[in-house]
Amino acid sequence: MSSPLPADRPAVSPTADAGSGTRPSTRPSARLPGLDGLRALAVILVVVYHLFPQWWFAGGFIGVDVFFVISGFLITTLLLRERDASGRISLVGFWRRRARRLLPALILLLLVCSSAAWLIGGDVLVRLGAQIVGALTFSYNWIAILIGEGYFGGTTPELFRNLWSLGIEEQFYVLWPLILPVILVLPRAWARVAAVGALAAASTVWMGELVATTDAVSRAYYGTDSHAFGILLGVALAFGLHRTLSAPTLWMQRTTVRRGAAIVGGAAVLGLIAISLVPPTDSVRTFPLTIAAASILSAIAIVAAVWPHARLGPALDARPLRWIGERSYGLYLWHWPLLVLLVAAVQGSAPEAGVPVWVGLVTLALTVVIAEASYRFLETPVRRAGFRGTWRAARAKVRVESGALWGSVVGDLPLPLSWSEHSRARSQERACHPARPSSPRDKQPSTLPPRARPRRQMPGRNRMVPHNRGRSPTAPSAHRPPRRRRSRAARSPPSATRSCSRRPPPCMRPFPASALMRRYRGPRGLVRASSISSPARDSSAATSSSRSARTVPSVGMPMSASPRPPAPTGPSSS
C-alpha cells in the first residue's frame, strides 16, 4: 500500500571509537530493510483469505492491519528525514508523491473493472456509481457505512469493497502532515511517543465500545476513528526509532543484541501467521483484541527488521518476497474486483456464496499478470518521471514506432517533407551542385534584332525593356549579355565545401537508401574521377572536361583535394 523505496543498509563509519560509547557517524539509508518482506506477508494473507476461503487462513484479513502499521511507520519516517535534511516539510511535494504512487493504478482499475461490470451486468452493477465516487474521493469506508454495506456479511457483490482500506490510508496521508507540526512541538521523543500512543489506545477502546454496545461490527471495522490504532502505532514507532536509526549506539550493534532482535522478530512473524489461522467472531475478542495483537506483532517485526545489522531484514528481503512486496499495491487492488467479476460471470452470485478452487486459481494468475504489467509500464514510469514526463515519453515512443512502421510499409519511397524542410533540402542541394561554368559559346554577342531577343525586367519598374536599350543595333560588340547570377557555392566556396561534407539532404535520401544515393557515402563530399585533368591534354579535351566536370558528390577524390582544370598554356592553346 505504501510506495516501495530502494533498499540499503545504514553505512556505519569504521573510525568510530569502540570504547567511547558515543554514536558513530552514519548516513541514514534511503530504504528501510525488511519492509518489502512484511508487505509480501500481508498481501499473501489477504489474497489467500479472499480467493480461497475454504483454506486454513480464516483470519487473513489481519494483513490489512500489517499494511496500516507499515504505512504509519514509513510515512512518518520519511517526513522526519525531510525535516532533518531541509528544515521544513513540503506538503505539496509529499502529496504529489502520494498521488503519483496511488492514482495511476487506481484509475486503471476503475476503468477496466467498471467496463467489465457493464458487460457482465447483473448484481455487480448495484451501487456501482457510489463505489466509484468513494474510490475517487478516498472515502469508500464512510460511503460503505452510510449505505449499510458490511465487510463480513455482505450478500451483494461489491466490486470495489477492498478499497475501504485505501480510503483510510489516504485520509491519513492528507491529515497527518498537517497534524505532525503540532506533535513536533513536544521537546522530547518519549513525549511524542506517549502522545501518539494515547491516541492509538483511544481508537482501540472506541472500536471495542462500538462492538460491545451496538454490535456495529462493520461500523467499527470501516471507521477511520475506530480503526486508526494500527497507523498510530506505526507513527509512535517512527518517533521512537528516528534518532536510533540515523545514529545507532554501540550496544545495539553487539552480536548478542542483534541475534536477540532477529529471534524476537522471527517469533513476531510466526505469531502473525498463527493469528491468521484463527477464525473471526463478532465479539470484542476479534474487534479489537485480535486486530490489536496483530498490530503489536507487526510493530515488533518492523523493529527487528530495521535493527542495525540484524539478520531478519535481509531474510525478509529475499528476492521472491521482495518481488511480491514491491507489487503488493497492485496485487491488493486487482485481486478482489477480478474475483467478483469471475464469480458473477460463472455462478451469478457473490463471492460470499462460495468460490470454486479453479476460479481462485484463475483469479490469482490474472492478478499476478496485471499487477506486474501495471507496476512495470504504469506505476514505475509515473513515480519516476511524473504524469507529464510519462505522457511526453509515451508520445515520443509512439511517434518513433509509427515512423518505423511507415518506413517498413512504404519501403523505398521518400518520406513526405514540409515546405520548410523542402526549401532547406533544395538549398543544400544547390550548395552541393554549383552552377556549370559558362562556355565560350555563351560569351559571344547576340546578333538577333532587338525585338527578337528575350526581354528582361527593368529594376524598379513593372515593364519589360530590350537588353540593348540605348545602344546602337549596328554595334553588336557594345552589347554585353546579361550577367549570370552566381550560385551560392561560387559566392562562398568554404561554406559550400563544408556543406558538401554533410549527409545528403532529406529530399534525396529515400527510406531506406536506394542504389542511386550510394555515391554519397564517405566522410566528405566526393567528385567524379573524370573531373581531374592533366596539363598534357589538348584544348579540346580541356574544353570537354570543363563542360562535363560538375561538383557532384561521387566515389573518387575528396572535393577539397580535387584540382581545378589548368588553363591551357603554350603553343597548344591556339
Side-chain angles (χ1 to χ4, degrees), residues 212-233:
T213 57
T214 63
D215 292 333
V217 176
S218 297
R219 165 64 182 88
Y221 192 71
Y222 279 149
T224 305
D225 54 345
S226 56
H227 206 153
F229 52 84
I231 296 178
L232 295 175
L233 187 60

Side-chain angles (χ1 to χ4, degrees), residues 203-493:
S203 177
T204 306
V205 173
W206 177 238
M207 173 182 278
E209 182 68 19
L210 289 175
V211 174
T213 57
T214 63
D215 292 333
V217 176
S218 297
R219 165 64 182 88
Y221 192 71
Y222 279 149
T224 305
D225 54 345
S226 56
H227 206 153
F229 52 84
I231 296 178
L232 295 175
L233 187 60
V235 171
L237 193 64
F239 281 130
L241 295 179
H242 176 57
R243 297 300 178 187
T244 303
L245 293 178
S246 59
T249 56
L250 294 179
W251 71 269
M252 298 178 62
Q253 305 179 37
R254 295 175 182 174
T255 305
T256 55
V257 176
R258 290 188 283 109
R259 289 179 180 177
I263 293 173
V264 173
V269 173
L270 294 177
L272 286 173
I273 298 175
I275 291 178
S276 66
L277 302 176
V278 179
T281 62
D282 294 341
S283 62
V284 182
R285 191 189 72 178
T286 302
F287 309 98
L289 294 182
T290 301
I291 298 176
S295 301
I296 293 173
L297 291 177
S298 301
I300 295 174
I302 290 174
V303 173
V306 301
W307 196 271
H309 304 289
R311 294 184 179 181
L312 182 62
L316 291 175
D317 279 338
R319 182 167 296 181
L321 293 178
R322 183 173 179 179
W323 188 91
I324 297 174
E326 290 176 346
R327 293 150 182 83
S328 59
Y329 178 57
L331 294 173
Y332 181 82
L333 281 184
W334 286 94
H335 81 282
W336 178 258
L338 291 178
L339 177 65
V340 172
L341 293 174
L342 287 177
V343 172
V346 174
Q347 301 180 166
S349 61
E352 287 79 7
V355 180
V357 177
W358 69 271
V359 173
L361 294 175
V362 172
T363 304
L364 180 61
L366 291 176
T367 301
V368 172
V369 172
I370 297 176
E372 169 63 20
S374 174
Y375 176 79
R376 178 174 299 184
F377 301 110
L378 181 63
E379 299 175 40
T380 301
V382 172
R383 191 172 67 249
R384 292 178 177 176
F387 294 99
R388 296 181 180 177
T390 305
W391 173 250
R392 296 193 193 101
R395 284 195 307 175
K397 189 174 182 179
V398 169
R399 289 179 180 177
V400 171
E401 291 181 355
S402 61
L405 180 62
W406 170 264
S408 62
V409 172
V410 173
D412 290 338
L413 294 178
L415 294 175
L417 301 176
S418 62
W419 177 256
S420 59
E421 293 175 344
H422 182 72
S423 301
R424 290 195 298 268
R426 293 295 299 172
S427 301
Q428 189 174 1
E429 183 180 357
R430 293 194 202 99
C432 294
H433 298 271
R436 180 174 60 88
S438 59
S439 60
R441 184 181 303 173
D442 298 332
K443 296 182 180 180
Q444 296 296 332
S446 175
T447 58
L448 296 175
R451 297 296 181 185
R453 277 181 286 153
R455 305 168 71 89
R456 62 186 178 90
Q457 181 75 28
M458 187 67 177
R461 307 285 180 90
N462 294 328
R463 57 191 180 91
M464 305 297 292
V465 297
H467 285 292
N468 60 347
R469 179 179 179 179
R471 302 187 183 93
S472 174
T474 60
S477 60
H479 167 68
R480 291 182 299 176
R483 294 179 59 186
R484 287 180 174 271
R485 183 180 180 182
R486 293 185 301 171
S487 63
R488 186 174 299 178
R491 291 197 299 268
S492 57

